Amino acid sequence: QKEVEQNSGPLSVPEGAIASLNCTYSDRGSQSFFWYRQYSGKSPELIMFIYSNGDKEDGRFTAQLNKASQYVSLLIRDSQPSDSATYLCAVSYNQGGKLIFGQGTELSVKP
Amino acid sequence: GAVVSQHPSWVICKSGTSVKIECRSLDFQATTMFWYRQFPKQSLMLMATSNEGSKATYEQGVEKDKFLINHASLTLSTLTVTSAHPEDSSFYICSARPGRGDEKLFFGSGTQLSVL
């Protein structure tokens, strides 16, 4: 059973701080990694994807991938109240295959 | 990003009736679409993979006769919940990839189904 694990939270950070979201996965053969943001009652929105070891930055977001440790993280710099949402980690085990989602981490950014 | 349209956004129906949900890729062709279900405060659970021109592939525990999937064209997949019951009440979301070699998955806006 391929699994993706996240802390459900809630994770609370003050406005302007760095929010750190973590995800682990069970299958070493995993190839593609994604972070989605989901607001309550809405569908997931893709915010980051990473395929290779290391860091990938896009604006205030940085995705970090460590395949040896089977670990992927998302850093949100200068957190804003509008970043308050559930963040879903997703993993694809083969090209063109289905995505397996973690249970999501609820992030709350306090003004 | 690629645009996936889903309709209706919400539906309320009586127990025992059937409900059809449509998913369209608006600016790309999708040979494969994925249908997910999400209960409150839970993650997305993959129900089935919809394949254009062939039968859908269902995940373990998902009843294929209850959740009928049709993928008749490269831009349209439908999910029909047959003989719906209150326990089928959930948020149903479709998704698709825009093209070969692009692993990113884009989601429709979702359908909130409430069965009375």
Side-chain angles (χ1 to χ4, degrees), chain A residues 12-16 79-81 84 108-111:
Chain A
S12 183
V13 300
E15 184 175 356
S79 296
Q80 301 296 310
S84 298
S108 177
V109 181
K110 303 295 186 183

Side-chain angles (χ1 to χ4, degrees), chain B:
Chain B
V3 180
V4 178
S5 174
Q6 187 172 342
H7 179 80
S9 298
W10 57 270
V11 59
I12 301 173
C13 69
K14 292 182 178 180
S15 185
T17 60
S18 294
V19 174
K20 179 184 284 188
I21 303 169
E22 292 189 351
C23 180
R24 296 181 184 272
S25 54
L26 296 187
D27 52 358
F28 65 97
Q29 293 184 330
T31 56
T32 303
M33 291 184 176
F34 302 89
W35 286 95
Y36 288 84
R37 177 169 56 182
Q38 186 177 37
F39 293 105
K41 299 293 185 182
Q42 295 187 24
S43 188
L44 281 73
M45 296 301 296
L46 181 65
M47 298 176 65
T49 301
S50 173
N51 305 299
E52 188 269 334
S54 64
K55 292 182 179 180
T57 304
Y58 290 82
E59 295 299 303
Q60 189 174 6
V62 178
E63 300 176 60
K64 61 180 182 181
D65 294 331
K66 181 170 185 60
F67 299 99
L68 301 179
I69 292 173
N70 184 281
H71 195 152
S73 77
L74 287 171
T75 59
L76 173 64
S77 175
T78 61
L79 169 67
T80 300
V81 183
T82 63
S83 186
H85 288 92
E87 58 265 30
D88 298 323
S89 298
S90 186
F91 191 48
Y92 292 86
I93 322 172
C94 70
S95 60
R97 288 189 172 95
R100 293 183 186 277
D102 188 342
E103 292 298 298
K104 298 187 292 293
L105 195 64
F106 294 92
F107 286 86
S109 55
T111 298
Q112 182 63 55
L113 171 64
S114 296
V115 184
L116 304 179

